[in-house]
Amino acid sequence: MITDEEKKKLIQIAVEARSHAYAPYSQYQVGAALLAASGRIYDGVNVENAAFPVTICAERVAVFKAVSEGEREFLAIAVATVNGGMPCGSCRQVLAEFGLETWVIIANREGRILHEATIGELLPGAFRPQDLPK
Ligand code: THU
């Protein structure tokens, strides 16, 4: 679990990151802030593309930034949108790779929390590294 202070900080960073979203097609700006076990926070935004399916979500940008810096354990992620939209299935799967206990905080653009759960609760029955035969 994380402290209320850490939670507030994550939400604030997600809300601020949202202003960097590249979403000229959907106009649905998403900001994310991921707290690694190291204590470092990685932000992310959605990056859309004229070839629509190439678009990547804010949550995955944050995870990929963190993993490429050597992080493998994540305590929590905050996601900020205009209306508190939930993480898509692909982002849930990417987060689940690194543990089912990561705390997911969904907020709106004012930073109001609309939903909280572990990634395990958001993706029951996730396919995990252990499911691959040795
Ligand atoms: N999006 C995210 O960034 N995260 C999600 O979990 C859901 C959707 C983005 C992708 C696209 O740029 C826009 O929101 C509309 O789908």
Side-chain angles (χ1 to χ4, degrees):
M1 277 298 280
I2 60 166
T3 64
D4 279 354
E5 213 166 288
E6 286 172 319
K7 212 185 264 189
K8 267 195 200 146
K9 191 170 177 195
L10 278 186
I11 293 167
Q12 189 196 328
I13 291 171
V15 168
E16 284 169 9
R18 193 173 161 266
S19 67
H20 295 140
Y22 179 72
Y25 307 107
S26 72
Q27 304 298 332
Y28 191 73
Q29 290 87 4
V30 187
L34 177 68
L35 173 62
S38 67
R40 279 184 67 181
I41 295 172
Y42 298 84
D43 64 8
V45 298
N46 52 331
V47 183
E48 297 188 346
N49 193 280
F52 295 166
V54 182
T55 291
I56 186 157
C57 296
E59 298 91 322
R60 272 177 289 160
V61 169
V63 172
F64 296 158
K65 279 170 77 171
V67 170
S68 72
E69 295 288 318
E71 306 284 2
R72 295 292 186 272
E73 274 181 64
F74 304 109
L75 301 180
I77 184 168
V79 184
T81 57
V82 64
N83 59 352
M86 296 293 288
C88 80
S90 297
C91 291
R92 295 180 198 207
Q93 180 66 33
V94 165
L95 283 162
E97 173 76 13
F98 300 98
L100 298 179
E101 296 306 313
T102 303
W103 192 247
V104 182
I105 304 151
I106 304 300
N108 65 14
R109 69 178 160 193
E110 284 86 39
R112 187 159 79 88
I113 297 175
L114 298 176
H115 196 89
E116 291 183 271
T118 65
I119 192 65
E121 288 168 332
L122 294 183
L123 191 63
F127 185 81
R128 308 221 46 242
Q130 302 90 299
D131 292 315
L132 287 172
K134 289 237 158 52

